[in-house]
Amino acid sequence: MRQVTDHRLDNPALASLTGPHARFAERRGRVLRYPREVSWFVALPDDPVAADWEDLAALAGPGNRALLPASAAVPPAGWGVEWRLEGFQMVLEDHDDASAVPHQEVLRLGAADVQEMLALAERTRPGPFHPRTIELGTYYGIRRGGELVAMAGERLRPPGWAETSAVCTAATHRGQGLAARLVRAVVAGARNRGDRSFLHVTADNIRAVRLYESLGFRVRRRTAFTMVRVPAPARRA
């Protein structure tokens, strides 16, 4: 695994919400989160204690869900774990392709494209994508016959870093190198801004891991994304 010791990558949601994404932060105590229409991500401190879980419960609301990204935090008794995805955090090493000029098919996406982006994400399931997720960073897409068939963009933004995310291609257009073109565009934009690129990928998505390795990414650490549910109030007898 790649030894990158930057601690901001150990808790990237917290580093983002106290850094470049501070404008999005909703806070209670030491717990922060994004607005729900932007992302379901919440950020716990590195050493969460009982009071932090109580603050998360108050921030999310009884019975509601919260997504812990790239976190080793274990919820206390009474909390539900709806799912947990094991995966890798990968960082981009120096790579000639990362600074290449984006392919002519690659287009910058904006607010007018959100409905199509949501529909593509719904079909391809690249990870959580919401109506305002596009506000987190720069997004690119590729159209064929006027239809949006592939996209990729930026999500978490720890200082000095940009997470490549929402990489997806419609089933009818896979195997054509579209994802690689889009990832190159995303990381080139980050590099031009002075940021390094990283990403997260599920451990069982071997095809994606190989793609990212071919583009210069290397595994930094194993990690997990966990969807938890806040305990509902106890019913009275």
Side-chain angles (χ1 to χ4, degrees), residues 15-133:
S16 298
L17 285 167
T18 56
H21 283 170
R23 67 187 184 279
F24 294 111
E26 299 176 353
R27 176 190 291 268
R28 185 180 176 95
R30 300 197 301 166
V31 180
L32 297 92
R33 73 168 183 178
Y34 288 91
R36 300 283 283 189
E37 64 272 23
V38 175
S39 172
W40 281 26
F41 287 170
V42 299
L44 291 166
D46 294 332
D47 54 346
V49 296
D52 298 316
W53 290 100
E54 291 171 4
D55 285 336
L56 174 55
L59 194 61
N64 288 327
R65 298 187 297 169
L67 183 52
L68 308 179
S71 172
V74 178
W79 287 65
V81 176
E82 297 208 345
W83 49 260
R84 179 178 173 86
L85 294 177
E86 301 286 343
F88 302 115
Q89 183 182 79
M90 305 181 74
V91 296
L92 181 66
E93 297 182 328
D94 290 335
H95 199 264
D96 291 341
D97 284 349
S99 58
V101 175
H103 191 275
Q104 61 183 8
E105 278 193 307
V106 173
L107 306 171
R108 177 79 176 264
L109 300 177
D113 303 298
V114 167
Q115 292 305 312
E116 287 183 278
M117 297 169 75
L118 288 167
L120 180 61
E122 178 65 24
R123 297 198 307 272
T124 57
R125 302 291 185 179
F129 196 86
H130 306 282
R132 291 179 55 201
T133 298

Side-chain angles (χ1 to χ4, degrees), residues 105-224:
E105 278 193 307
V106 173
L107 306 171
R108 177 79 176 264
L109 300 177
D113 303 298
V114 167
Q115 292 305 312
E116 287 183 278
M117 297 169 75
L118 288 167
L120 180 61
E122 178 65 24
R123 297 198 307 272
T124 57
R125 302 291 185 179
F129 196 86
H130 306 282
R132 291 179 55 201
T133 298
I134 193 172
E135 296 178 24
L136 295 176
T138 303
Y139 280 78
Y140 297 96
I142 292 176
R143 291 182 177 278
R144 292 284 174 83
E147 177 189 1
L148 182 67
V149 297
M151 69 176 182
E154 297 173 325
R155 188 169 59 183
L156 294 176
R157 288 282 304 280
W161 294 87
E163 181 194 22
T164 301
S165 182
V167 181
C168 58
T169 303
T172 53
H173 290 79
R174 290 174 185 164
Q176 301 175 25
L178 305 190
R181 294 174 193 172
L182 289 165
V183 171
R184 289 190 182 102
V186 173
V187 301
R191 176 172 292 186
N192 290 339
R193 194 175 57 230
D195 290 334
R196 293 187 64 185
S197 293
F198 74 109
L199 55 80
H200 296 98
V201 60
T202 55
D204 61 357
N205 194 347
I206 304 303
R207 183 174 180 178
V209 172
R210 289 175 177 168
L211 167 65
Y212 298 140
E213 287 178 336
S214 74
L215 295 173
F217 286 88
R218 298 293 178 263
V219 173
R220 175 179 182 261
R221 65 177 178 126
R222 293 192 69 96
T223 189

